[in-house]
């Protein structure tokens, strides 16, 4: 047959996303004078609204977004294969399909919102900040929902002794709710002026999502994408 490993999607998506964000930031702060304040006193968007940063950012994230989506689509089918036993089908027909299909829909929605947010980035005065904010907020909301849903599915499979991923990868998913709670706690504390951490929460959430995404490289080691079978 002709095909390739499903691991290529999270690997490329992680590398493209990480390089894009870091490269854009380094270009922005290395100018004289710099376009932005140093981390964490600038948000990710403002590192990408000058030339040539916005070109790097738009190209990179418009590539990373579909790779992000495709990775979770492959994971959906892996979880479907592992979790849908004959007994489950007889006792509760349709339930596993609905749960995992919603998982797939959430990944598509997050991809669309990320593309909307990225497409509005501009170095001119024509940037649509309203549309960008809707896209960025929508992406983070759906990405967090995706992480929560994925973590729940991982815990169910792990409790059923279906250990398809390495232990450390599972631990990252298992404790994702605590990490998300810490993100919300920091955001709330900053909003209430209990402390000033700049845009650290945005960077923290972004890099956690990238790390979560990268773990799929190990989780999908047995998945093959078949393009043609002779």
């Amino acid at each position: 047959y002709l095909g390739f490993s499903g691991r290529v999607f999270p690997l490329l998506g992680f590398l493209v996303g990480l390089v894009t964000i870091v490269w854009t930031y380094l270009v922005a702060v290395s100018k004289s004078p710099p376009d932005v304040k140093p981390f964490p006193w600038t948000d990710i968007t403002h590192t990408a609204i000058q030339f040539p940063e916005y070109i790097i950012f738009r190209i990179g994230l418009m590539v990373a977004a579909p790779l992000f989506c495709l990775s979770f689509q492959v994971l959906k089918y892996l979880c479907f294969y592992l979790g849908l036993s004959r007994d489950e089908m007889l006792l509760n027909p349709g339930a596993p399909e609905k749960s995992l299909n919603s998982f797939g829909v959430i990944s598509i929605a997050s991809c669309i919102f990320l593309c909307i947010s990225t497409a509005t980035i501009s170095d001119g005065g024509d940037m649509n900040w309203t549309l960008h904010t809707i896209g960025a907020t929508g992406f983070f909301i759906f990405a967090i929902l995706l992480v929560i849903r994925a973590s729940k599915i991982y815990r169910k499979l792990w409790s059923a002794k279906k250990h398809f991923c390495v232990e450390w990868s599972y631990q990252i998913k298992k404790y994702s709710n605590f990490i998300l709670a810490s993100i919300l706690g920091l955001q709330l504390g900053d909003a209430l002026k209990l402390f000033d951490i700049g845009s650290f929460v945005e960077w923290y959430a972004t890099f956690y999502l990238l790390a979560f995404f990268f773990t799929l490289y190990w989780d999908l080691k047995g998945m093959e994408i078949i393009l043609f079978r002779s």
Side-chain angles (χ1 to χ4, degrees):
Y1 68 89
L2 176 64
F4 57 91
S5 173
R7 306 171 82 189
V8 71
F9 294 132
L11 177 62
L12 290 178
F14 169 78
L15 290 176
V16 171
L18 179 66
V19 169
T20 297
I21 293 171
V22 173
W23 188 7
T24 302
Y25 170 78
L26 292 176
V27 171
V29 296
S30 64
K31 288 183 176 180
S32 183
D35 287 336
V36 293
K37 294 180 180 178
F39 169 85
W41 308 110
T42 182
D43 59 74
I44 294 174
T45 296
H46 280 83
T47 67
I49 59 174
Q50 299 296 329
F51 178 85
E53 298 97 292
Y54 84 99
I55 297 176
I56 301 169
F57 197 82
R58 289 183 67 168
I59 293 174
L61 288 195
M62 290 297 264
V63 171
L67 291 170
F68 175 85
C69 179
L70 287 169
S71 298
F72 281 98
Q73 293 297 321
V74 176
L75 178 64
K76 179 186 78 171
Y77 288 107
L78 174 61
C79 293
F80 182 85
Y81 170 77
L82 291 170
L84 188 60
S85 70
R86 183 174 180 275
D87 291 338
E88 288 170 329
M89 290 178 66
L90 292 173
L91 292 173
N92 195 9
E97 295 98 325
K98 290 179 182 178
S99 177
L100 289 172
N101 282 338
S102 65
F103 178 68
V105 170
I106 293 172
S107 70
I108 294 173
S110 65
C111 171
I112 292 173
F113 275 106
L114 180 57
C115 287
I116 291 172
S117 173
T118 304
T120 61
I121 295 291
S122 169
D123 70 336
D126 58 343
M127 181 167 169
N128 189 330
W129 282 98
T130 300
L131 192 58
H132 171 77
T133 302
I134 291 172
T137 304
F139 164 71
F140 274 108
I141 290 173
F142 279 103
I144 288 173
L145 288 174
L146 189 61
V147 167
I148 293 172
R149 177 59 63 86
S151 300
K152 183 178 179 180
I153 293 172
Y154 270 73
R155 288 195 298 271
K156 283 185 175 181
L157 290 173
W158 200 269
S159 64
K161 306 301 182 183
K162 295 175 181 179
H163 301 172
F164 65 97
C165 63
V166 294
E167 173 74 22
W168 64 264
S169 178
Y170 168 68
Q171 294 299 328
I172 289 177
K173 279 84 168 183
K174 179 181 179 181
Y175 295 106
S176 61
N177 289 344
F178 294 101
I179 295 174
L180 294 176
S182 72
I183 292 173
L184 293 175
L186 288 171
Q187 183 64 52
L188 181 61
D190 189 49
L192 295 175
K193 307 298 183 183
L194 299 178
F195 42 75
D196 183 10
I197 52 176
S199 297
F200 175 78
V201 173
E202 180 183 346
W203 290 92
Y204 176 23
T206 299
F207 279 93
Y208 173 67
L209 288 174
L210 281 172
F212 189 101
F213 182 53
F214 189 41
T215 62
L216 301 185
Y217 173 76
W218 285 270
D219 302 349
L220 301 179
K221 63 181 180 181
M223 293 296 290
E224 293 289 329
I225 309 298
I226 299 176
L227 302 175
F228 174 77
R229 187 188 296 274
S230 58

